[in-house]
């Protein structure tokens, strides 16, 4: 009996990742997925490790999720790597975080290139340490001609700051006489944000049980579906990603059936 049960377990496994991927791909795939990668510090605390060990582990999840996003045919994956608020953290933690782009890219840039991934960044790079900026610029340059998944890192990003900068730019256009006040509409604002060239996110995922936006893509997320999970970012894996996308597809089915109807 035990033998039969064991055999059954190996012969009839849960539908494998590959099958789930095929299934998910046969339905509506979000063009742009944005993720707030929360819970790295908590993951480390639970293991009596320093917080930075959690950040480092979280980097491995970035690789994993980039791969599956690419496999699924997602066009843009935006990851909230460092917020304008994160400067309030202890200096040693900030120093460690600022080394992660360099480490990530020296380890994974070759495979990103092989996977046809294009690295991009939103946020203010002026305040980033030189070595961080350099690493990101090198990756952006070396992947500039790739036309697969856009892997968009939000670094020193804050949505209200982005909107304030956009307002300044638009006011300057008016002052220069390039546009009239009456030309200011939603689409003009969208096209002056840092994400102007990207589709709006269809799906926002936040890990680690927090149910807040924390100043992330406030304008761009106006129509997105939100998926919150208690899973901590270092534990977030391919199955978790598929869960979030399946949830998105279930919610979107109603809209898919009415041709041309916009999901509002
Ligand atoms: C960071 C790992 C993921 C969890 C969240 C906090 C820690 C990858 C990058 C990165 C950024 C730019 C880039 C290539 C990689 C990164 C920071 C933190 C600041 F071009 N992970 N990761 N950057 N964590």
């Amino acid at each position: 009996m035990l033998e039969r049960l064991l055999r059954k377990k190996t012969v009839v496994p849960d539908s494998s990742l590959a099958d789930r991927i095929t299934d998910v791909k046969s339905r509506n795939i979000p063009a742009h997925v944005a993720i707030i990668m929360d819970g790295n510090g908590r993951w480390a605390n639970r293991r009596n490790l320093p917080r930075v060990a959690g950040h480092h582990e979280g980097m491995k999840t970035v690789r994993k999720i980039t791969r599956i996003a690419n496999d699924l045919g997602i066009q843009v994956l935006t990851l909230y790597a460092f917020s304008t608020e994160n400067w309030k953290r202890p200096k040693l933690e900030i120093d460690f975080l600022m080394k992660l782009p360099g480490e990530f890219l020296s380890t994974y840039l070759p495979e990103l290139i092989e996977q046809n991934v294009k690295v991009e960044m939103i946020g203010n790079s002026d305040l980033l340490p030189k070595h961080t900026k350099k690493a990101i610029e090198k990756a952006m340059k070396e992947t500039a001609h790739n036309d697969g998944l856009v892997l968009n890192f939000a670094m020193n990003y804050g949505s209200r700051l982005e909107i304030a900068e956009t307002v300044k730019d638009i006011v300057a256009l008016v002052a220069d006489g390039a546009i009239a006040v009456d030309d200011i509409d939603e689409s003009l604002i969208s096209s002056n944000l840092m994400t102007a060239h990207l589709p709006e996110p269809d799906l926002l995922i936040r890990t680690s049980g927090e149910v807040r936006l924390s100043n992330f893509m406030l304008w761009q997320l106006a129509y997105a579906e939100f998926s919150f999970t208690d899973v901590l970012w270092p534990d977030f894996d391919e199955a978790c990603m598929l869960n979030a996308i399946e949830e998105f597809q279930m919610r979107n089915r109603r809209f898919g059936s009415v041709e041309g109807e916009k999901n509002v």
Side-chain angles (χ1 to χ4, degrees), residues 37 40 55 58-59 62 81 97 100-101 104-105 136 153 155 233:
M37 308 181 286
N40 304 285
H55 296 320
M59 201 174 66
V62 170
L97 286 168
L100 291 181
F104 180 88
L105 293 165
I136 300 173
F153 287 100
M155 287 284 295
W233 179 249

Side-chain angles (χ1 to χ4, degrees), residues 248-263:
F248 167 86
Q249 292 179 328
M250 297 281 273
R251 294 191 206 156
N252 266 258
R253 238 185 348 208
R254 289 174 287 140
F255 300 99
S257 60
V258 182
E259 206 177 357
E261 186 173 341
K262 181 136 174 57
N263 189 354

Side-chain angles (χ1 to χ4, degrees), residues 12-69:
V12 191
D14 276 357
S15 93
S16 72
L17 271 186
D19 290 347
R20 283 187 74 190
I21 290 173
T22 309
D23 237 44
V24 163
K25 282 178 82 165
S26 72
R27 298 187 291 265
N28 176 28
I29 293 284
H32 184 169
V33 177
I35 308 184
I36 302 176
M37 308 181 286
D38 208 0
N40 304 285
R42 208 173 312 163
W43 181 93
N45 277 340
R46 285 186 189 168
R47 286 166 176 72
N48 281 317
L49 295 169
R51 284 175 60 79
V52 293
H55 296 320
H56 197 264
E57 194 67 23
M59 201 174 66
K60 299 183 194 162
T61 306
V62 170
R63 178 207 189 192
K64 213 183 269 183
I65 298 309
T66 299
R67 267 222 208 130
I68 191 169

Side-chain angles (χ1 to χ4, degrees), residues 36-40 52 54-63 79-83 86 89 94 96-105 112 119-121 128 132 135-137 139-140 151-156 233-234:
I36 302 176
M37 308 181 286
D38 208 0
N40 304 285
V52 293
H55 296 320
H56 197 264
E57 194 67 23
M59 201 174 66
K60 299 183 194 162
T61 306
V62 170
R63 178 207 189 192
L79 302 177
Y80 207 1
F82 195 88
S83 79
N86 287 156
R89 292 188 178 179
I94 295 174
F96 183 91
L97 286 168
M98 287 302 156
K99 287 187 193 135
L100 291 181
E103 184 180 344
F104 180 88
L105 293 165
L112 293 177
V119 176
E120 292 191 6
M121 196 204 108
L128 301 179
T132 311
I136 300 173
E137 275 167 4
M140 285 173 37
L151 177 56
N152 182 33
F153 287 100
M155 287 284 295
N156 189 27
W233 179 249

Side-chain angles (χ1 to χ4, degrees), residues 28-35 73-79 118 120 122 147-152 157 162 190-191 193-204 216-217 219-224 248 262:
N28 176 28
I29 293 284
H32 184 169
V33 177
I35 308 184
I74 290 168
Q75 292 167 39
V76 185
L77 178 65
T78 296
L79 302 177
K118 184 176 186 182
E120 292 191 6
I122 54 171
D147 60 3
L149 173 76
V150 172
L151 177 56
N152 182 33
Y157 174 86
E162 177 192 31
S190 293
S191 62
L193 294 170
M194 290 167 172
T195 51
H197 61 298
L198 302 172
E200 284 182 4
D202 312 285
L203 172 62
L204 169 82
F216 187 50
M217 301 185 97
W219 176 279
Q220 296 89 336
L221 289 167
Y223 296 105
F248 167 86
K262 181 136 174 57

Side-chain angles (χ1 to χ4, degrees), residues 168-216:
K168 277 194 222 165
D169 292 345
I170 292 174
V171 169
L173 290 173
V174 173
D176 289 352
I179 61 165
V181 168
D182 262 359
D183 295 329
I184 301 172
D185 58 9
E186 292 182 22
S187 107
L188 182 91
I189 292 172
S190 293
S191 62
N192 279 279
L193 294 170
M194 290 167 172
T195 51
H197 61 298
L198 302 172
E200 284 182 4
D202 312 285
L203 172 62
L204 169 82
I205 299 171
R206 182 167 188 159
T207 57
S208 183
E210 307 298 338
V211 187
R212 285 177 272 115
L213 272 185
S214 302
N215 202 18
F216 187 50

